[in-house]
């Protein structure tokens, strides 16, 4: 394969897949997202060309991948989480396919599932949630359409890129009929040393101050209570989560 | 950490995380799901105690983890996909926490996202889907409640463990107001040599014969068309997907 679209996982460099790391260590060109851990960028060979994605528009990223791929270079496009979850990875795949460039997709651990999980919150849990809906809070229209799609309090709701709009998120959920007392959580910097977790209710979602500059996930639903039970046990001298 | 709840990923042994493999290679006791690749079971040290999970009820699995954990053994509980997605991993976490056993969770690549992805289907795609809902088809009640939770054709729908009930799934979707012409896909054995993919529409969902004995995912939504575009390009001599 010439180009590999690789998911870096939720943050901790050890949460990349074995195949993803192998592709990274063998690459000649690395195009990487800002959110990807420095340790992973350092895994590319010393001589590899390193291109931070932030310097380019999406269309130009596609062109870069096609250009280097066409020259037969081993290209890795390293993306936070999973390449096909709000990552525009499918657009890159289509651009490569249309240009006739051989490529592969190496899935990654998505923050949509892993960020809550690393905070002790399962997106599904027997008796609490039999399904989960993942939305992006980034674009207001898409978010509102997504919210209209689901009945209040029926499944776990996970919102990626919704930290900045958590006040509006709470207002919109309550306006749509969600119970303001529904458990809610915010998980920032999951699996990194900067991990920050808040739990409360939908009504309290705006009344907290997550750390600036790191990605966060909002989780809504009874599953948040699993964390509270785990934390209660932890306070009785049980460790939970990352190595520490 | 004494006990690690580790996600094995969607099937291909190289799609486990780097940390998950490290825990596996260092374990003294391995409790593993039937769906996990043999190659991963073989990664445990030769002297490790290997316990197939299928021989036990969930409650007994919890007891086994607590028992070996209490004796200070390095225990790995290896589960297909991600431990906290329909995996009852949170029940195991709670059992360990309540017993005061130190543990960690190592997320895995979930088949809910990766199975469609490896078949060229992104669960989200600009202009096609701004969110995705994941349900299990295993328990009829939970599935029906999940289906009631969502407006027809509003987001991508991913159904795990729904292969056996794909006829009813199609009927229920159409009865709930989904357009029978909505694109649908079935992906079996994603990322393994047995991979089998079918695409069509909701109305045609029952009219196919997936291979028996391997896990499959059903995907409903316009995002299925991305695969069709990728396959069309592949037919012009472009390779896509796994190494092959």
């Amino acid at each position: 394969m010439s180009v590999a679209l690789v998911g870096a996982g939720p943050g901790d460099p050890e949460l990349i897949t074995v195949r993803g790391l192998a592709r990274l260590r063998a690459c000649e060109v690395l195009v990487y997202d800002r959110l990807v851990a420095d340790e992973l960028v350092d895994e590319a060979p010393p001589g590899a060309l390193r291109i931070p994605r932030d310097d380019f528009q999406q269309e130009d990223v596609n062109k870069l991948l096609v250009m280097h791929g066409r020259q037969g270079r081993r290209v890795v496009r390293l993306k936070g989480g999973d390449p096909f979850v709000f990552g525009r990875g499918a657009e890159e795949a289509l651009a490569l396919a249309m240009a006739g460039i051989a490529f592969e997709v190496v899935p990654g651990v998505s923050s949509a599932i892993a960020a809550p999980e690393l905070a002790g919150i399962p997106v599904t849990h027997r008796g609490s949630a039999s399904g989960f809906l993942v939305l992006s809070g980034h674009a207001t229209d898409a978010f509102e359409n997504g919210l209209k799609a689901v009945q209040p309090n029926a499944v776990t709701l996970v919102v990626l890129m919704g930290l900045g709009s958590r006040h509006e998120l709470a207002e919109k959920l309550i306006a749509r009929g969600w119970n303001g007392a529904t458990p809610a959580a915010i998980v920032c910097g999951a699996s990194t040393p900067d991990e920050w977790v808040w739990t409360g209710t939908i009504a309290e979602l705006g009344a907290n101050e997550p750390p600036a500059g790191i990605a966060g996930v909002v989780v809504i639903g009874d599953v948040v209570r699993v964390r509270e039970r785990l934390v209660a046990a932890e306070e009785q001298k049980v460790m939970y989560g990352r190595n520490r």
Side-chain angles (χ1 to χ4, degrees), chain A residues 74-201:
Chain A
R74 291 186 303 273
V75 182
V76 164
R77 171 73 178 101
L78 188 63
K79 302 165 84 79
D82 178 90
F84 274 16
V85 176
F86 301 117
R88 304 185 67 170
E91 292 173 49
E92 295 170 4
L94 282 165
L96 290 160
M98 298 308 165
I101 312 292
F103 70 97
E104 69 175 329
V105 181
V106 183
V109 170
S110 173
S111 302
I113 295 166
E117 177 173 20
L118 291 161
I121 302 169
V123 286
T124 67
H125 190 57
R126 220 160 40 114
S128 298
S130 57
F132 62 101
L133 174 68
V134 180
L135 298 177
S136 165
H138 184 64
T140 310
D141 287 0
F143 176 70
E144 291 208 27
N145 285 337
L147 216 54
K148 276 182 204 154
V150 68
Q151 295 298 315
N153 290 86
V155 290
T156 302
L157 176 62
V158 179
V159 185
L160 300 179
M161 297 171 279
L163 222 55
S165 53
R166 64 193 184 284
H167 299 81
E168 297 97 303
L169 170 60
E171 281 169 19
K172 282 174 185 162
L173 284 166
I174 291 169
R176 288 272 316 155
W178 290 64
N179 185 341
T182 307
I186 298 174
V187 185
C188 296
S191 85
T192 75
D194 300 322
E195 190 172 278
W196 180 93
V197 183
W198 169 89
T199 62
T201 64

